[in-house]
Amino acid sequence: NVSVLAQIFDEGCGSYKYLLFLSLLDILEHRRFENTCPISFIDLAQEIITNAWISYGYFKLSLGASDKVTHQLAVILRENNQRYLESFQKDKTRLKSVLGKTDYRSLLHYTARTGVYQLVYPWFREESQGLKGKALNQAILHFSSSQYHKIKPLYVFDGERVEDCTAIVMTSDWVNYLKSHFRIVQGWAAWHWLQYLQIHNPTTLNLVNKLFISSGDDDLTLQTKFWASVMNHHPLRCFYCGELLNLKTLGLDHFFPRPFVAHDHIWNLIPI
């Protein structure tokens, strides 16, 4: 039921639902849509932390004043050197490994006790009407199992009680659907994530390019060639130290920091 999937971001939910769904898509893509193993809450929490850090830690975006993920990220940034984390920015696997070594128990607790149930609530809206808190989560867990063939939710859980669950098990039909329509669904989720960020960052420049890290954002070959051609006609000095530049040691630096502008346009690059 794709119309139910389209409702997962309808309720006010902070950043968590957006990050959870985008992280779920990332995990499925990384696994090549193999659905033989459950997705543990630990894997989900690590992926959420990594994706959230790109927005919060690197691009300095607000995820909401009382956002639960923001609190966890603030703890991680206090425990780690900012530049050290940024050194892994282009390699998401290594970044996730580093972030996974930090204390993110509060987010893991939220994932296991609340977050994963909120995401699939639209599938069980009628059955769980009027319920809240743990009773709501337990009802979703129960109905996901007892009415599985009728409702076909996005995923089910690996336990019979909320406190016993450690992972989710994706529904095969949904895995096949997401595999066939992956880029469309990913783009749809990213669009909702962008709308959420725009609400909390109304004055931020170039927000659309701050959703994800571009894999090629450190390739400045064309820009370097441009400055090299300039140097062939006119000597240049380093912006910082004043030394005469030469082609062998030529480097480029962003005048306005890249996390602020989120691009490598020539007007913002200076020869050093």
PDB file of all heavy atoms in Angstrom, residues 26-27 29-31 43 46-47 49-51 53-54 84-85 87-101 213:
ATOM      1  N   ASP A  26      19.647   3.627   3.035  1.00  0.00           N
ATOM      2  CA  ASP A  26      21.108   3.479   2.888  1.00  0.00           C
ATOM      3  C   ASP A  26      21.549   2.059   3.228  1.00  0.00           C
ATOM      4  O   ASP A  26      22.408   1.477   2.546  1.00  0.00           O
ATOM      5  CB  ASP A  26      21.832   4.470   3.801  1.00  0.00           C
ATOM      6  CG  ASP A  26      21.761   5.897   3.285  1.00  0.00           C
ATOM      7  OD1 ASP A  26      21.397   6.079   2.106  1.00  0.00           O
ATOM      8  OD2 ASP A  26      22.057   6.827   4.064  1.00  0.00           O
ATOM      9  N   ILE A  27      20.991   1.504   4.291  1.00  0.00           N
ATOM     10  CA  ILE A  27      21.361   0.149   4.713  1.00  0.00           C
ATOM     11  C   ILE A  27      20.933  -0.867   3.657  1.00  0.00           C
ATOM     12  O   ILE A  27      21.694  -1.779   3.305  1.00  0.00           O
ATOM     13  CB  ILE A  27      20.730  -0.186   6.080  1.00  0.00           C
ATOM     14  CG1 ILE A  27      21.383   0.660   7.185  1.00  0.00           C
ATOM     15  CG2 ILE A  27      20.868  -1.675   6.405  1.00  0.00           C
ATOM     16  CD1 ILE A  27      20.714   0.532   8.534  1.00  0.00           C
ATOM     17  N   GLU A  29      20.507  -0.354   0.464  1.00  0.00           N
ATOM     18  CA  GLU A  29      21.376  -0.206  -0.706  1.00  0.00           C
ATOM     19  C   GLU A  29      22.740  -0.830  -0.448  1.00  0.00           C
ATOM     20  O   GLU A  29      23.307  -1.499  -1.323  1.00  0.00           O
ATOM     21  CB  GLU A  29      21.527   1.269  -1.070  1.00  0.00           C
ATOM     22  CG  GLU A  29      22.331   1.503  -2.338  1.00  0.00           C
ATOM     23  CD  GLU A  29      22.477   2.958  -2.689  1.00  0.00           C
ATOM     24  OE1 GLU A  29      22.537   3.796  -1.759  1.00  0.00           O
ATOM     25  OE2 GLU A  29      22.536   3.277  -3.891  1.00  0.00           O
ATOM     26  N   HIS A  30      23.280  -0.606   0.749  1.00  0.00           N
ATOM     27  CA  HIS A  30      24.580  -1.175   1.102  1.00  0.00           C
ATOM     28  C   HIS A  30      24.528  -2.702   1.084  1.00  0.00           C
ATOM     29  O   HIS A  30      25.498  -3.359   0.692  1.00  0.00           O
ATOM     30  CB  HIS A  30      25.005  -0.673   2.475  1.00  0.00           C
ATOM     31  CG  HIS A  30      26.305  -1.244   2.947  1.00  0.00           C
ATOM     32  ND1 HIS A  30      27.519  -0.891   2.395  1.00  0.00           N
ATOM     33  CD2 HIS A  30      26.590  -2.175   3.921  1.00  0.00           C
ATOM     34  CE1 HIS A  30      28.494  -1.558   3.001  1.00  0.00           C
ATOM     35  NE2 HIS A  30      27.957  -2.338   3.911  1.00  0.00           N
ATOM     36  N   ARG A  31      23.411  -3.276   1.477  1.00  0.00           N
ATOM     37  CA  ARG A  31      23.249  -4.732   1.498  1.00  0.00           C
ATOM     38  C   ARG A  31      22.820  -5.279   0.146  1.00  0.00           C
ATOM     39  O   ARG A  31      22.520  -6.467   0.021  1.00  0.00           O
ATOM     40  CB  ARG A  31      22.210  -5.141   2.549  1.00  0.00           C
ATOM     41  CG  ARG A  31      22.637  -4.874   3.982  1.00  0.00           C
ATOM     42  CD  ARG A  31      21.602  -5.411   4.954  1.00  0.00           C
ATOM     43  NE  ARG A  31      22.012  -5.246   6.344  1.00  0.00           N
ATOM     44  CZ  ARG A  31      21.343  -5.748   7.385  1.00  0.00           C
ATOM     45  NH1 ARG A  31      20.229  -6.449   7.186  1.00  0.00           N
ATOM     46  NH2 ARG A  31      21.778  -5.561   8.613  1.00  0.00           N
ATOM     47  N   ASP A  43      22.641  -0.973  14.216  1.00  0.00           N
ATOM     48  CA  ASP A  43      22.974  -0.533  12.855  1.00  0.00           C
ATOM     49  C   ASP A  43      22.173   0.699  12.467  1.00  0.00           C
ATOM     50  O   ASP A  43      22.706   1.625  11.842  1.00  0.00           O
ATOM     51  CB  ASP A  43      22.700  -1.660  11.856  1.00  0.00           C
ATOM     52  CG  ASP A  43      23.723  -2.783  11.942  1.00  0.00           C
ATOM     53  OD1 ASP A  43      24.778  -2.560  12.560  1.00  0.00           O
ATOM     54  OD2 ASP A  43      23.456  -3.875  11.408  1.00  0.00           O
ATOM     55  N   GLN A  46      23.536   3.803  14.359  1.00  0.00           N
ATOM     56  CA  GLN A  46      24.812   4.262  13.787  1.00  0.00           C
ATOM     57  C   GLN A  46      24.604   4.997  12.471  1.00  0.00           C
ATOM     58  O   GLN A  46      25.240   6.023  12.211  1.00  0.00           O
ATOM     59  CB  GLN A  46      25.744   3.065  13.579  1.00  0.00           C
ATOM     60  CG  GLN A  46      26.404   2.553  14.838  1.00  0.00           C
ATOM     61  CD  GLN A  46      27.461   1.505  14.534  1.00  0.00           C
ATOM     62  OE1 GLN A  46      27.454   0.892  13.472  1.00  0.00           O
ATOM     63  NE2 GLN A  46      28.360   1.295  15.475  1.00  0.00           N
ATOM     64  N   GLU A  47      23.720   4.469  11.643  1.00  0.00           N
ATOM     65  CA  GLU A  47      23.456   5.104  10.346  1.00  0.00           C
ATOM     66  C   GLU A  47      22.786   6.464  10.548  1.00  0.00           C
ATOM     67  O   GLU A  47      23.101   7.440   9.846  1.00  0.00           O
ATOM     68  CB  GLU A  47      22.570   4.198   9.493  1.00  0.00           C
ATOM     69  CG  GLU A  47      22.587   4.514   8.014  1.00  0.00           C
ATOM     70  CD  GLU A  47      23.863   4.052   7.328  1.00  0.00           C
ATOM     71  OE1 GLU A  47      24.416   3.015   7.728  1.00  0.00           O
ATOM     72  OE2 GLU A  47      24.290   4.746   6.368  1.00  0.00           O
ATOM     73  N   ILE A  49      23.046   8.443  13.195  1.00  0.00           N
ATOM     74  CA  ILE A  49      24.055   9.359  13.725  1.00  0.00           C
ATOM     75  C   ILE A  49      24.947   9.881  12.597  1.00  0.00           C
ATOM     76  O   ILE A  49      25.262  11.070  12.522  1.00  0.00           O
ATOM     77  CB  ILE A  49      24.908   8.657  14.804  1.00  0.00           C
ATOM     78  CG1 ILE A  49      24.149   8.601  16.125  1.00  0.00           C
ATOM     79  CG2 ILE A  49      26.238   9.348  14.996  1.00  0.00           C
ATOM     80  CD1 ILE A  49      23.972   9.946  16.799  1.00  0.00           C
ATOM     81  N   THR A  50      25.362   8.998  11.698  1.00  0.00           N
ATOM     82  CA  THR A  50      26.244   9.387  10.597  1.00  0.00           C
ATOM     83  C   THR A  50      25.554  10.373   9.659  1.00  0.00           C
ATOM     84  O   THR A  50      26.121  11.410   9.289  1.00  0.00           O
ATOM     85  CB  THR A  50      26.702   8.153   9.811  1.00  0.00           C
ATOM     86  OG1 THR A  50      27.311   7.211  10.707  1.00  0.00           O
ATOM     87  CG2 THR A  50      27.712   8.532   8.742  1.00  0.00           C
ATOM     88  N   ASN A  51      24.316  10.061   9.261  1.00  0.00           N
ATOM     89  CA  ASN A  51      23.580  10.955   8.366  1.00  0.00           C
ATOM     90  C   ASN A  51      23.272  12.290   9.028  1.00  0.00           C
ATOM     91  O   ASN A  51      23.336  13.343   8.390  1.00  0.00           O
ATOM     92  CB  ASN A  51      22.283  10.278   7.906  1.00  0.00           C
ATOM     93  CG  ASN A  51      22.521   9.229   6.844  1.00  0.00           C
ATOM     94  OD1 ASN A  51      23.435   9.340   6.036  1.00  0.00           O
ATOM     95  ND2 ASN A  51      21.707   8.182   6.837  1.00  0.00           N
ATOM     96  N   TRP A  53      25.014  13.702  11.405  1.00  0.00           N
ATOM     97  CA  TRP A  53      26.242  14.471  11.613  1.00  0.00           C
ATOM     98  C   TRP A  53      26.595  15.303  10.387  1.00  0.00           C
ATOM     99  O   TRP A  53      27.106  16.413  10.507  1.00  0.00           O
ATOM    100  CB  TRP A  53      27.413  13.552  11.962  1.00  0.00           C
ATOM    101  CG  TRP A  53      28.616  14.330  12.391  1.00  0.00           C
ATOM    102  CD1 TRP A  53      28.905  14.760  13.653  1.00  0.00           C
ATOM    103  CD2 TRP A  53      29.659  14.825  11.553  1.00  0.00           C
ATOM    104  NE1 TRP A  53      30.076  15.478  13.645  1.00  0.00           N
ATOM    105  CE2 TRP A  53      30.554  15.532  12.378  1.00  0.00           C
ATOM    106  CE3 TRP A  53      29.940  14.733  10.194  1.00  0.00           C
ATOM    107  CZ2 TRP A  53      31.701  16.153  11.889  1.00  0.00           C
ATOM    108  CZ3 TRP A  53      31.073  15.351   9.697  1.00  0.00           C
ATOM    109  CH2 TRP A  53      31.949  16.045  10.538  1.00  0.00           C
ATOM    110  N   ILE A  54      26.303  14.783   9.209  1.00  0.00           N
ATOM    111  CA  ILE A  54      26.582  15.523   7.979  1.00  0.00           C
ATOM    112  C   ILE A  54      25.843  16.860   7.995  1.00  0.00           C
ATOM    113  O   ILE A  54      26.413  17.905   7.645  1.00  0.00           O
ATOM    114  CB  ILE A  54      26.178  14.688   6.746  1.00  0.00           C
ATOM    115  CG1 ILE A  54      27.114  13.478   6.606  1.00  0.00           C
ATOM    116  CG2 ILE A  54      26.198  15.538   5.482  1.00  0.00           C
ATOM    117  CD1 ILE A  54      26.673  12.469   5.575  1.00  0.00           C
ATOM    118  N   TYR A  84      38.957  16.224  13.362  1.00  0.00           N
ATOM    119  CA  TYR A  84      39.214  14.790  13.227  1.00  0.00           C
ATOM    120  C   TYR A  84      38.038  14.108  12.537  1.00  0.00           C
ATOM    121  O   TYR A  84      38.218  13.288  11.627  1.00  0.00           O
ATOM    122  CB  TYR A  84      39.446  14.189  14.610  1.00  0.00           C
ATOM    123  CG  TYR A  84      39.560  12.677  14.619  1.00  0.00           C
ATOM    124  CD1 TYR A  84      40.652  12.040  14.043  1.00  0.00           C
ATOM    125  CD2 TYR A  84      38.570  11.898  15.207  1.00  0.00           C
ATOM    126  CE1 TYR A  84      40.759  10.658  14.050  1.00  0.00           C
ATOM    127  CE2 TYR A  84      38.664  10.520  15.224  1.00  0.00           C
ATOM    128  CZ  TYR A  84      39.762   9.897  14.647  1.00  0.00           C
ATOM    129  OH  TYR A  84      39.847   8.539  14.656  1.00  0.00           O
ATOM    130  N   LEU A  85      36.820  14.450  12.931  1.00  0.00           N
ATOM    131  CA  LEU A  85      35.643  13.866  12.298  1.00  0.00           C
ATOM    132  C   LEU A  85      35.537  14.305  10.841  1.00  0.00           C
ATOM    133  O   LEU A  85      35.184  13.513   9.971  1.00  0.00           O
ATOM    134  CB  LEU A  85      34.381  14.270  13.063  1.00  0.00           C
ATOM    135  CG  LEU A  85      34.184  13.636  14.442  1.00  0.00           C
ATOM    136  CD1 LEU A  85      32.951  14.216  15.122  1.00  0.00           C
ATOM    137  CD2 LEU A  85      34.043  12.125  14.328  1.00  0.00           C
ATOM    138  N   SER A  87      37.847  14.870   8.834  1.00  0.00           N
ATOM    139  CA  SER A  87      38.848  14.190   8.005  1.00  0.00           C
ATOM    140  C   SER A  87      38.296  12.900   7.396  1.00  0.00           C
ATOM    141  O   SER A  87      38.842  12.388   6.435  1.00  0.00           O
ATOM    142  CB  SER A  87      40.096  13.874   8.843  1.00  0.00           C
ATOM    143  OG  SER A  87      39.819  12.898   9.833  1.00  0.00           O
ATOM    144  N   PHE A  88      37.215  12.380   7.978  1.00  0.00           N
ATOM    145  CA  PHE A  88      36.595  11.159   7.447  1.00  0.00           C
ATOM    146  C   PHE A  88      35.361  11.479   6.601  1.00  0.00           C
ATOM    147  O   PHE A  88      34.632  10.571   6.204  1.00  0.00           O
ATOM    148  CB  PHE A  88      36.165  10.238   8.594  1.00  0.00           C
ATOM    149  CG  PHE A  88      37.311   9.744   9.436  1.00  0.00           C
ATOM    150  CD1 PHE A  88      37.586  10.315  10.659  1.00  0.00           C
ATOM    151  CD2 PHE A  88      38.105   8.699   9.005  1.00  0.00           C
ATOM    152  CE1 PHE A  88      38.642   9.867  11.449  1.00  0.00           C
ATOM    153  CE2 PHE A  88      39.159   8.234   9.774  1.00  0.00           C
ATOM    154  CZ  PHE A  88      39.426   8.829  10.997  1.00  0.00           C
ATOM    155  N   GLN A  89      35.132  12.767   6.330  1.00  0.00           N
ATOM    156  CA  GLN A  89      33.868  13.183   5.737  1.00  0.00           C
ATOM    157  C   GLN A  89      33.592  12.535   4.387  1.00  0.00           C
ATOM    158  O   GLN A  89      32.455  12.192   4.079  1.00  0.00           O
ATOM    159  CB  GLN A  89      33.869  14.704   5.581  1.00  0.00           C
ATOM    160  CG  GLN A  89      32.502  15.285   5.262  1.00  0.00           C
ATOM    161  CD  GLN A  89      31.534  15.054   6.386  1.00  0.00           C
ATOM    162  OE1 GLN A  89      31.816  15.334   7.528  1.00  0.00           O
ATOM    163  NE2 GLN A  89      30.371  14.524   6.057  1.00  0.00           N
ATOM    164  N   LYS A  90      34.630  12.363   3.577  1.00  0.00           N
ATOM    165  CA  LYS A  90      34.422  11.819   2.236  1.00  0.00           C
ATOM    166  C   LYS A  90      34.252  10.299   2.237  1.00  0.00           C
ATOM    167  O   LYS A  90      33.876   9.714   1.239  1.00  0.00           O
ATOM    168  CB  LYS A  90      35.603  12.189   1.330  1.00  0.00           C
ATOM    169  CG  LYS A  90      35.949  13.675   1.312  1.00  0.00           C
ATOM    170  CD  LYS A  90      34.794  14.504   0.846  1.00  0.00           C
ATOM    171  CE  LYS A  90      35.217  15.963   0.677  1.00  0.00           C
ATOM    172  NZ  LYS A  90      35.713  16.589   1.886  1.00  0.00           N
ATOM    173  N   ASP A  91      34.566   9.657   3.361  1.00  0.00           N
ATOM    174  CA  ASP A  91      34.465   8.207   3.474  1.00  0.00           C
ATOM    175  C   ASP A  91      33.435   7.890   4.550  1.00  0.00           C
ATOM    176  O   ASP A  91      33.748   7.824   5.735  1.00  0.00           O
ATOM    177  CB  ASP A  91      35.825   7.608   3.836  1.00  0.00           C
ATOM    178  CG  ASP A  91      35.823   6.083   3.760  1.00  0.00           C
ATOM    179  OD1 ASP A  91      34.720   5.491   3.812  1.00  0.00           O
ATOM    180  OD2 ASP A  91      36.909   5.494   3.663  1.00  0.00           O
ATOM    181  N   LYS A  92      32.192   7.684   4.124  1.00  0.00           N
ATOM    182  CA  LYS A  92      31.106   7.504   5.080  1.00  0.00           C
ATOM    183  C   LYS A  92      31.291   6.252   5.928  1.00  0.00           C
ATOM    184  O   LYS A  92      30.917   6.224   7.101  1.00  0.00           O
ATOM    185  CB  LYS A  92      29.771   7.445   4.339  1.00  0.00           C
ATOM    186  CG  LYS A  92      28.567   7.458   5.265  1.00  0.00           C
ATOM    187  CD  LYS A  92      27.260   7.474   4.483  1.00  0.00           C
ATOM    188  CE  LYS A  92      26.083   7.427   5.430  1.00  0.00           C
ATOM    189  NZ  LYS A  92      24.793   7.416   4.707  1.00  0.00           N
ATOM    190  N   THR A  93      31.890   5.206   5.355  1.00  0.00           N
ATOM    191  CA  THR A  93      32.113   3.971   6.104  1.00  0.00           C
ATOM    192  C   THR A  93      33.049   4.214   7.278  1.00  0.00           C
ATOM    193  O   THR A  93      32.800   3.760   8.403  1.00  0.00           O
ATOM    194  CB  THR A  93      32.695   2.879   5.193  1.00  0.00           C
ATOM    195  OG1 THR A  93      31.785   2.629   4.116  1.00  0.00           O
ATOM    196  CG2 THR A  93      32.905   1.588   5.973  1.00  0.00           C
ATOM    197  N   ARG A  94      34.139   4.946   7.033  1.00  0.00           N
ATOM    198  CA  ARG A  94      35.087   5.233   8.115  1.00  0.00           C
ATOM    199  C   ARG A  94      34.486   6.198   9.128  1.00  0.00           C
ATOM    200  O   ARG A  94      34.702   6.073  10.329  1.00  0.00           O
ATOM    201  CB  ARG A  94      36.376   5.815   7.532  1.00  0.00           C
ATOM    202  CG  ARG A  94      37.146   4.831   6.658  1.00  0.00           C
ATOM    203  CD  ARG A  94      38.417   5.461   6.126  1.00  0.00           C
ATOM    204  NE  ARG A  94      39.375   5.704   7.201  1.00  0.00           N
ATOM    205  CZ  ARG A  94      40.470   6.441   7.045  1.00  0.00           C
ATOM    206  NH1 ARG A  94      40.721   7.023   5.876  1.00  0.00           N
ATOM    207  NH2 ARG A  94      41.306   6.620   8.043  1.00  0.00           N
ATOM    208  N   LEU A  95      33.724   7.168   8.647  1.00  0.00           N
ATOM    209  CA  LEU A  95      33.064   8.105   9.552  1.00  0.00           C
ATOM    210  C   LEU A  95      32.106   7.360  10.473  1.00  0.00           C
ATOM    211  O   LEU A  95      32.072   7.603  11.683  1.00  0.00           O
ATOM    212  CB  LEU A  95      32.310   9.167   8.751  1.00  0.00           C
ATOM    213  CG  LEU A  95      31.491  10.170   9.567  1.00  0.00           C
ATOM    214  CD1 LEU A  95      32.399  10.977  10.489  1.00  0.00           C
ATOM    215  CD2 LEU A  95      30.699  11.098   8.648  1.00  0.00           C
ATOM    216  N   LYS A  96      31.336   6.440   9.908  1.00  0.00           N
ATOM    217  CA  LYS A  96      30.393   5.664  10.712  1.00  0.00           C
ATOM    218  C   LYS A  96      31.127   4.812  11.729  1.00  0.00           C
ATOM    219  O   LYS A  96      30.672   4.642  12.866  1.00  0.00           O
ATOM    220  CB  LYS A  96      29.529   4.788   9.793  1.00  0.00           C
ATOM    221  CG  LYS A  96      28.456   4.000  10.531  1.00  0.00           C
ATOM    222  CD  LYS A  96      27.397   3.475   9.582  1.00  0.00           C
ATOM    223  CE  LYS A  96      27.958   2.584   8.518  1.00  0.00           C
ATOM    224  NZ  LYS A  96      26.910   2.006   7.656  1.00  0.00           N
ATOM    225  N   SER A  97      32.285   4.290  11.348  1.00  0.00           N
ATOM    226  CA  SER A  97      33.084   3.485  12.268  1.00  0.00           C
ATOM    227  C   SER A  97      33.565   4.315  13.450  1.00  0.00           C
ATOM    228  O   SER A  97      33.521   3.875  14.599  1.00  0.00           O
ATOM    229  CB  SER A  97      34.280   2.881  11.532  1.00  0.00           C
ATOM    230  OG  SER A  97      35.126   2.196  12.422  1.00  0.00           O
ATOM    231  N   VAL A  98      34.003   5.547  13.166  1.00  0.00           N
ATOM    232  CA  VAL A  98      34.478   6.436  14.236  1.00  0.00           C
ATOM    233  C   VAL A  98      33.329   6.838  15.147  1.00  0.00           C
ATOM    234  O   VAL A  98      33.433   6.789  16.377  1.00  0.00           O
ATOM    235  CB  VAL A  98      35.156   7.686  13.632  1.00  0.00           C
ATOM    236  CG1 VAL A  98      35.484   8.695  14.726  1.00  0.00           C
ATOM    237  CG2 VAL A  98      36.421   7.285  12.895  1.00  0.00           C
ATOM    238  N   LEU A  99      32.199   7.230  14.549  1.00  0.00           N
ATOM    239  CA  LEU A  99      31.052   7.648  15.342  1.00  0.00           C
ATOM    240  C   LEU A  99      30.472   6.487  16.144  1.00  0.00           C
ATOM    241  O   LEU A  99      29.931   6.673  17.229  1.00  0.00           O
ATOM    242  CB  LEU A  99      29.966   8.232  14.436  1.00  0.00           C
ATOM    243  CG  LEU A  99      30.304   9.566  13.768  1.00  0.00           C
ATOM    244  CD1 LEU A  99      29.239   9.948  12.755  1.00  0.00           C
ATOM    245  CD2 LEU A  99      30.449  10.663  14.806  1.00  0.00           C
ATOM    246  N   GLY A 100      30.618   5.275  15.606  1.00  0.00           N
ATOM    247  CA  GLY A 100      30.093   4.098  16.296  1.00  0.00           C
ATOM    248  C   GLY A 100      30.829   3.780  17.584  1.00  0.00           C
ATOM    249  O   GLY A 100      30.314   3.044  18.435  1.00  0.00           O
ATOM    250  N   LYS A 101      32.037   4.326  17.746  1.00  0.00           N
ATOM    251  CA  LYS A 101      32.818   4.078  18.955  1.00  0.00           C
ATOM    252  C   LYS A 101      32.448   5.034  20.090  1.00  0.00           C
ATOM    253  O   LYS A 101      32.911   4.878  21.203  1.00  0.00           O
ATOM    254  CB  LYS A 101      34.307   4.210  18.648  1.00  0.00           C
ATOM    255  CG  LYS A 101      34.818   3.170  17.652  1.00  0.00           C
ATOM    256  CD  LYS A 101      36.281   3.428  17.296  1.00  0.00           C
ATOM    257  CE  LYS A 101      36.759   2.424  16.252  1.00  0.00           C
ATOM    258  NZ  LYS A 101      38.161   2.692  15.837  1.00  0.00           N
ATOM    259  N   ILE A 213      26.694  14.709   1.446  1.00  0.00           N
ATOM    260  CA  ILE A 213      28.043  15.038   1.006  1.00  0.00           C
ATOM    261  C   ILE A 213      28.248  14.497  -0.398  1.00  0.00           C
ATOM    262  O   ILE A 213      28.013  13.325  -0.667  1.00  0.00           O
ATOM    263  CB  ILE A 213      29.103  14.434   1.947  1.00  0.00           C
ATOM    264  CG1 ILE A 213      29.087  15.177   3.282  1.00  0.00           C
ATOM    265  CG2 ILE A 213      30.481  14.500   1.332  1.00  0.00           C
ATOM    266  CD1 ILE A 213      29.592  16.595   3.212  1.00  0.00           C
TER     267      ILE A 213
END
